[in-house]
Amino acid sequence: MKISDNTSVSMPMKNMIGIIIAVAMGVFAYTEVTARLTSLETSRELYQADLLKKSEQLPTDQEQYMLLEDLYKTVEKIEIRIEDMMHNKVNIEFIQKQLSKALEDLETLKDKVRANGNGHG
């Protein structure tokens, strides 16, 4: 088989159109994939740039974060103190009831002693 500038190739028109359509589809698919990759890379770069900007804190921001942290700690201490005070209230009420009962019992005993005539007088 000899190939030169004047070599002719005969092919049915149907096959030629099929090859042209296949090549066009391949070029279109390549273009779409390239465009999608470019879009994803751009969005990734923008996302990373936003993260870098957000990670940079100004001194006023740092001071505000420190103040917030201190406030949270103070609130936690106050909550613990309030809970302790609530327990103290319950204990005080219990002791008051016990003391009232003890005073009543003491008065009852005094009355019994007086009734028996064992009192001094």
Side-chain angles (χ1 to χ4, degrees), residues 26-76:
V27 169
F28 179 75
Y30 174 76
T31 305
E32 288 296 314
V33 168
T34 304
R36 180 71 178 144
L37 283 174
T38 304
S39 171
L40 290 173
E41 287 175 350
T42 303
S43 66
R44 184 187 58 141
E45 291 295 324
L46 290 173
Y47 181 72
Q48 285 180 347
D50 284 345
L51 282 178
L52 288 175
K53 284 181 185 176
K54 288 181 181 177
S55 69
E56 296 171 359
Q57 293 180 356
L58 301 173
T60 54
D61 292 339
Q62 292 174 344
E63 183 178 356
Q64 289 173 351
Y65 290 136
M66 288 173 56
L67 287 172
L68 282 174
E69 186 176 336
D70 184 56
L71 283 173
Y72 279 121
K73 288 179 182 176
T74 304
V75 167
E76 286 177 358

Side-chain angles (χ1 to χ4, degrees), residues 59-111:
T60 54
D61 292 339
Q62 292 174 344
E63 183 178 356
Q64 289 173 351
Y65 290 136
M66 288 173 56
L67 287 172
L68 282 174
E69 186 176 336
D70 184 56
L71 283 173
Y72 279 121
K73 288 179 182 176
T74 304
V75 167
E76 286 177 358
K77 289 178 185 176
I78 290 172
E79 286 176 345
I80 291 171
R81 179 86 173 138
I82 288 172
E83 286 178 11
D84 289 343
M85 292 170 83
M86 288 187 330
H87 293 302
N88 286 345
K89 181 181 176 189
V90 170
N91 289 337
I92 289 171
E93 288 175 355
F94 176 74
I95 290 172
Q96 284 176 338
K97 288 178 184 175
Q98 292 295 323
L99 183 59
S100 295
K101 183 167 179 359
L103 288 173
E104 288 175 11
D105 291 346
L106 184 62
E107 287 298 322
T108 305
L109 287 174
K110 282 183 183 179
D111 290 341

